[in-house]
Amino acid sequence: MLIASVSFSQHSIFTVFTDGGEEFTLYVDGKKINETPKSRIADVKYSNEMANLKLEFADGKIPRLTKNLALKDVDNNYQKFTLIVKPNKKGVYKLRVNSFEAYTPTE
C-alpha cells in the first residue's frame, strides 16, 4: 500500500509599504530582505512566532523605524499582515499594522 503525504510549511506573510512613496530597506531579525531600497515590499514569508522589523530609509532624512511583530494570533494561527509607514499628526514617521487576517499557507 502506498500512502501519499503532503506537508505545508507554516508561516505568516506580510507586506510593508510607505504612504508617500519613500524608499527603504527592510530587515527582519537582522536579515536584509531587499537589496535595493523600495517603497513597497510584498509577501515576505516568515515562520517564527515573532519578528523584529527594521526599516532604513534611502534618503537618510527619516529616522530608522523598528517594530516587534507577533506573527500568530491568540489561537496560535499564523496571520497575513499589511504594515504602513506614514507620519503622524506631529510629522513623526511611524510603522503601523494597517490590516491583518488569518492566513493558511497553501504551499
Side-chain angles (χ1 to χ4, degrees), residues 1-93:
M1 175 166 36
L2 178 66
I3 298 176
S5 172
V6 177
S7 171
F8 297 111
S9 68
Q10 295 293 307
H11 60 268
S12 286
I13 190 166
F14 54 90
T15 297
V16 181
F17 70 97
T18 57
D19 192 43
E22 300 87 353
E23 294 186 335
F24 61 92
T25 301
L26 174 65
Y27 296 84
V28 179
D29 290 337
K31 181 182 176 195
K32 189 180 215 180
I33 301 301
N34 55 310
E35 288 301 319
T36 57
K38 297 180 180 183
S39 62
R40 177 182 171 87
I41 301 170
D43 299 334
V44 176
K45 295 177 183 176
Y46 205 67
S47 59
N48 289 358
E49 292 185 20
M50 295 286 296
N52 177 270
L53 309 181
K54 180 173 74 170
L55 281 70
E56 292 186 350
F57 291 87
D59 66 6
K61 296 178 184 175
I62 302 170
R64 175 186 309 136
L65 298 178
T66 60
K67 184 168 198 69
N68 288 319
L69 187 63
L71 299 177
K72 289 185 173 183
D73 65 14
V74 294
D75 296 320
N76 211 31
N77 299 310
Y78 284 97
Q79 300 289 300
K80 181 176 183 178
F81 293 90
T82 302
L83 296 104
I84 186 170
V85 175
K86 66 180 184 178
N88 63 15
K89 293 178 182 178
K90 296 179 181 179
V92 177
Y93 280 82

